Amino acid sequence: MSGNRHPEAARRYHDATAHSPQSVRAGSRGLDWDTKPEPFKIYPGLPVVALPRDFAVPALDALAAISTEPAGAAPLDLDRLAALLFFSAGVTKRRSYPGGGTMYFRAAPSTGALYQTEAYVVAGDVAGLPPGVYHFSPGDFALRRLREGDFRGALAIAAADDDLAGQSATLILSAIYWRNTWKYQARGYRHLFWDSGSMLSHLLAAATALDLPARAVTGFVDLEVNGLLGLDAEKEGALLLAPVGGQGRPAPVSPVIAAITPEVIPLGSSEVDYPLLRDAYENSSLDGESEVQAWREASWPRRSPAGALVALPTPRPSGVRTLAETITARGSTRRFSGEAIGSGDLSAALWHATRGWLADVPSGLVDLYLTVHAVDGMEPGAYAYHPESHALDLIKRGDFRERSAFLCLDQSLGGMSSATVFFLADLDALLEEFGNRGYRLANLEAGLIGGRLYLAAYALRFGATGLTFYDRDVVDFFSPHALGKDAIFVTALGRSVKGPAQSPASLQISPR
Ligand SMILES: Cc1cc2nc3c(=O)[nH]c(=O)nc-3n(C[C@H](O)[C@H](O)[C@H](O)COP(=O)(O)O)c2cc1C
């Protein structure tokens, strides 16, 4: 039996990596640019399958795409697979800098633009693609074949889910730790799930737009999935599976899974190991099929809010951009103007972002709290959001721009926004129910909803950015309502402007 059932490991990790003004001051150090990891995983010796770049671009509205279950009926072919990978993990923007160097920005946002999330495909019944296990290379938009043959059966066993053996393909998202820990050290473990969660929001929305069934599978035997992909488990770990496509040709008996150690170009001149992160991964791993099955039995109660709620306007069903337009237009806001968004905009973003997600675990694991700074028709203050009733609970009135900027690690973006969404979770209860793996789930779901908030914002032509935060101060700010919870993640929403960052004080608002 794995250590997953002893959730004090996740609690220890979370507390050890909490930010406070003191810990950030004490831990601040410059970045060593000489050791910055390469942004692409390069296998020099593997056979290459070029992906078509002229795939048909789906025309579905973005808001509809993020909140509609991907349950379509189209067959998965190479064209659709290419579109799915592009809109989830592809390079959507290149920016060259005066001193040399090019940044490759991707479809989904990523902490520090470090892009540690890698995508793999276990294909069995994809028209135009021979069965095999492939790595997706965003840099040259190609697949590289790690294994030849149909390994869906092996994956179905590792995930204790027979349906995987019949679905056309399963995408696997992993993370290369050093790409993120280079900047964020051990706190990077949280980022693995925020960022793969954001990517999952793209993947599920793109599947809906492409008329493909898709879902997330979060329970699997980590060691077996990592082995199937030939990962160096000290450095990279699988985070989630996403079966895609309908039930097609069933998988034959899986070939023997021989160990593979494909050559990979090193990420850089040196790498630092963060045992705290590796322990957090290992202590939340599942060791066998029966453990996966038992873990999946865990449940999560829906809690009804008490007290008077402020109703939000009926959310509009569609935005002004298609999903494809939204993803290519998306970028993280670097400066908010401080101007208001409409209450209809906030309503649509919250509603579409918080519809459930198709997965092997329940949704609704994280709770959304907001500071509302400038939303037409809404009183500025701190609120709790209730997705089932699509209504807000006013916790306290006031102008919290300054406080919100402070809570977001003293970043003005958190206060110059129109509204900032703070994700909190009843972490102890989650860990009690799901073991240490519950920590992965809370961060993943927050990343997924954050990713959807980004998409909703850009679909409605305003801006968004993910933010980090001072853990304890966030909980204290929303308490007593949030008493006993933990801070998980933050997304700020508002009107973007180009130019240098501004501070909330420059808006001449009253101090807190
Ligand atoms: C989970 C998450 C957390 C982030 N945290 C911050 C942050 O604390 N401060 C910040 O300025 N940007 C933050 N960002 C924005 C990233 O820096 C941005 O996504 C990345 O540079 C890629 O650029 P793009 O989103 O414009 O494509 C965050 C993004 C994500 C997805």
Side-chain angles (χ1 to χ4, degrees), residues 93 105-106 108-113 115 194-195 198 330-332 334 411 413 454 465-468 489:
K93 262 181 252 163
F105 290 91
R106 318 261 181 113
S110 175
T111 42
Y115 304 114
W194 299 352
D195 293 342
S198 299
R330 193 209 61 77
S332 293
R334 299 294 81 197
Q411 298 180 91
L413 285 160
Y454 260 103
T465 185
L467 290 173
T468 197
F489 181 48

Side-chain angles (χ1 to χ4, degrees), residues 3 9-10 33 114 125 130 135 170 177 190 245-246 306 313 323 352 368 430 442 452 473 496:
W33 291 95
L114 293 166
D125 189 11
H135 172 255
T170 292
Y177 309 145
R190 304 180 185 212
L323 181 71
H352 289 280
L368 277 62
L430 263 174
R452 285 174 168 180
D473 297 284
S496 315

Side-chain angles (χ1 to χ4, degrees), residues 120 122 133 146-147 151-152 154-160 164 170-174 217-233 236-242 257 260 281 286-287 292 296 437 440:
Y120 298 82
V122 177
V133 178
L146 286 155
R147 295 180 188 271
F151 287 87
R152 288 177 298 163
L155 199 56
I157 293 171
L164 261 65
T170 292
L171 270 55
I172 303 178
L173 303 187
S174 77
V217 173
T218 61
F220 52 87
V221 181
D222 305 65
L223 198 71
E224 288 176 13
V225 173
N226 292 340
L228 181 66
L229 302 178
L231 306 185
D232 176 348
E236 182 176 0
L239 306 178
L240 71 99
L241 318 182
I257 306 177
I260 51 168
Y281 183 89
L286 302 174
D287 281 353
V292 175
R296 229 172 243 145
R437 215 172 176 92
R440 297 189 186 189

Side-chain angles (χ1 to χ4, degrees), residues 31 45-46 116 160 197 248 364 370 374 380 392 394 506:
L31 291 173
L46 297 183
Q116 72 283 351
L370 287 87
L392 293 168
L394 178 60
S506 68

